[in-house]
Amino acid sequence: MFFRRICLFFVLMALSLSLELPNLNSETLTCNPDDLRALTSFSNCLESKLLDGTGTAPTLLVAALGLASPVIIPLVLAEGKRLVGKICGSLADLNQLRVLNFSHNFLEGSLPDDLFNLQNIEIIDIGNNAFVGSIDIKVCQGVCLSLFQLKNLSELNLQGNRISGSLSNGIGNLSNLVKLDISSNLFSGVLPDIFMRLERLEQFSAMSNSFTGHLPTSLVNSPSLQRLYLNRNSLSGPINLNCSAMKNLVSLGLGSNLFHGPIPNSLFSCRGLKSLSLSRNKFSGELPNSFKNLKSLTHLGLSNTSLSNISSALSILQHCRNLSMLVLARNFDDE
């Protein structure tokens, strides 16, 4: 098995020089033929030469081999290589893959069902392409079922695509997930209340979608979360964060939503909070006096929040000695 992994590495490096694979076959390389066929099929699905003005095929992939540990071999595929085309299901035959990265390309279409059969995969990053489809288990079929069975998955990055529909409850099956980024897509509906099952989740970003409704109870009580970004949605209701439980929270983005009511006094319990964005909501009343206890705060956005008594807010915030950026524009006291 270890020699197969070494062979796979050299095949990947050869692929990085050309998409045409003129001299690679199962006779000239003592490789597992399934690996070679999978990579060759993958390269044939791409149209990358259309973007290369020099007449040379762009680099297909970069591979890294962890020689110190033959058990874990991360492979970073085709990140930022100006690739055009669709993803072939043949990559599912590369069952030693740990890292699958197609981010920052021009790939499109739906994801093949077989792609998520890589049971050893730990990181999937397909961000910033033009993929379409859904991960709502009520709508999609094989893709959802396979994705939600990846027990080793620690990072799932889908940002910057055209994925639509609801965020499925099946996400809660990914119990080892540390980072989930679905921002800048076409997701809609309410956020599922599944975060109590994601006990290792440290970062959740769902910015620039069309989520509605209140914040899920399990999300606002998540002790593992360090970074939560929900800006630019249509979330509503009062902000009911339980900062006593969220002791590791350092960055919180809730700007450009429909939150209303007073800014919660309980935010002062998030004593490790460094960045807080609440701009462009419909809050009422004054800034809570308890904000003076946010000693770690460096960035605070409160513009367009309908706050009253800005002079009182400034008096409170002068106690935040580490504050380096403050935005208070367009509140009730503005002329």
Side-chain angles (χ1 to χ4, degrees):
M1 181 62 72
F2 177 58
F3 291 104
R4 179 189 174 191
R5 290 167 178 166
I6 294 178
C7 179
L8 176 57
F9 168 70
F10 286 112
V11 174
L12 291 170
M13 292 305 295
L15 274 169
S16 70
L17 301 177
S18 172
L19 296 180
E20 296 181 352
L21 304 172
N23 299 313
L24 296 178
N25 55 57
S26 56
E27 294 179 357
T28 58
L29 289 173
T30 57
C31 292
N32 184 296
D34 291 338
D35 292 342
L36 187 58
R37 281 195 297 269
L39 291 168
T40 304
S41 178
F42 168 70
S43 68
N44 290 336
C45 288
L46 301 174
E47 305 169 16
S48 299
K49 291 182 180 180
L50 297 175
L51 288 182
D52 196 331
T54 66
T56 302
T59 302
L60 173 62
L61 51 86
V62 176
L65 178 62
L67 291 177
S69 174
V71 178
I72 299 177
I73 302 180
L75 300 174
V76 181
L77 293 178
E79 177 186 4
K81 303 303 177 186
R82 304 175 70 203
L83 300 182
V84 174
K86 297 183 179 181
I87 299 299
C88 294
S90 61
L91 284 179
D93 293 331
L94 301 177
N95 57 20
Q96 298 305 312
L97 281 180
R98 298 294 191 273
V99 178
L100 184 61
N101 191 334
F102 292 116
S103 63
H104 300 279
N105 283 291
F106 302 94
L107 299 169
E108 59 184 1
S110 57
L111 297 170
D113 293 357
D114 293 341
L115 184 62
F116 297 114
N117 287 330
L118 297 165
Q119 292 303 309
N120 292 312
I121 204 77
E122 297 172 6
I123 296 175
I124 294 176
D125 190 344
I126 62 169
N128 298 291
N129 283 283
F131 290 116
V132 299
S134 172
I135 59 170
D136 183 352
I137 203 167
K138 297 178 181 178
V139 177
C140 67
Q141 299 297 325
V143 172
C144 291
L145 296 176
S146 299
L147 173 61
F148 301 147
Q149 294 174 4
L150 298 178
K151 299 301 183 183
N152 295 320
L153 194 64
S154 62
E155 290 190 21
L156 178 59
N157 301 315
L158 307 177
Q159 73 276 9
N161 284 284
R162 300 170 186 170
I163 302 173
S164 59
S166 301
L167 180 63
S168 176
N169 289 336
I171 290 289
N173 295 336
L174 303 176
S175 56
N176 284 311
L177 210 57
V178 175
K179 179 182 177 182
L180 175 59
D181 191 342
I182 60 170
S183 56
S184 299
N185 275 285
L186 301 173
F187 285 102
S188 59
V190 299
L191 290 168
D193 200 10
I194 45 85
F195 295 92
M196 79 290 287
R197 294 153 59 190
L198 302 177
E199 296 181 352
R200 299 184 59 196
L201 190 65
E202 295 178 0
Q203 178 173 328
F204 177 46
S205 179
M207 298 186 295
S208 299
N209 282 285
S210 298
F211 287 112
T212 58
H214 293 192
L215 296 175
T217 301
S218 59
L219 179 61
V220 299
N221 285 278
S222 180
S224 61
L225 269 180
Q226 299 177 13
R227 292 171 175 82
L228 175 59
Y229 304 115
L230 299 174
N231 309 66
R232 297 185 294 279
N233 280 284
S234 297
L235 298 167
S236 60
I239 295 177
N240 55 340
L241 248 62
N242 181 4
C243 284
S244 297
M246 306 178 77
K247 297 183 181 298
N248 295 308
L249 194 65
V250 297
S251 187
L252 175 63
L254 299 177
S256 299
N257 278 285
L258 302 173
F259 293 115
H260 59 264
I263 293 180
N265 190 59
S266 60
L267 277 174
F268 85 92
S269 298
C270 294
R271 297 185 183 277
L273 202 59
K274 296 181 179 179
S275 177
L276 175 61
S277 173
L278 299 175
S279 297
R280 296 182 179 85
N281 282 287
K282 298 296 182 182
F283 298 115
S284 59
E286 300 181 8
L287 189 72
N289 189 61
S290 59
F291 259 59
K292 65 176 61 175
N293 295 311
L294 295 176
K295 304 298 185 182
S296 300
L297 201 62
T298 60
H299 293 74
L300 176 61
L302 288 172
S303 63
N304 287 279
T305 54
S306 300
L307 281 178
S308 59
N309 201 344
I310 300 302
S311 59
S312 173
L314 291 173
S315 177
I316 293 169
L317 292 173
Q318 71 178 347
H319 296 276
C320 300
R321 301 297 184 183
N322 291 311
L323 196 61
S324 60
M325 180 179 291
L326 171 63
V327 183
L328 275 172
R330 298 181 182 176
N331 280 285
F332 278 161
D333 282 358
D334 291 343
E335 295 296 328

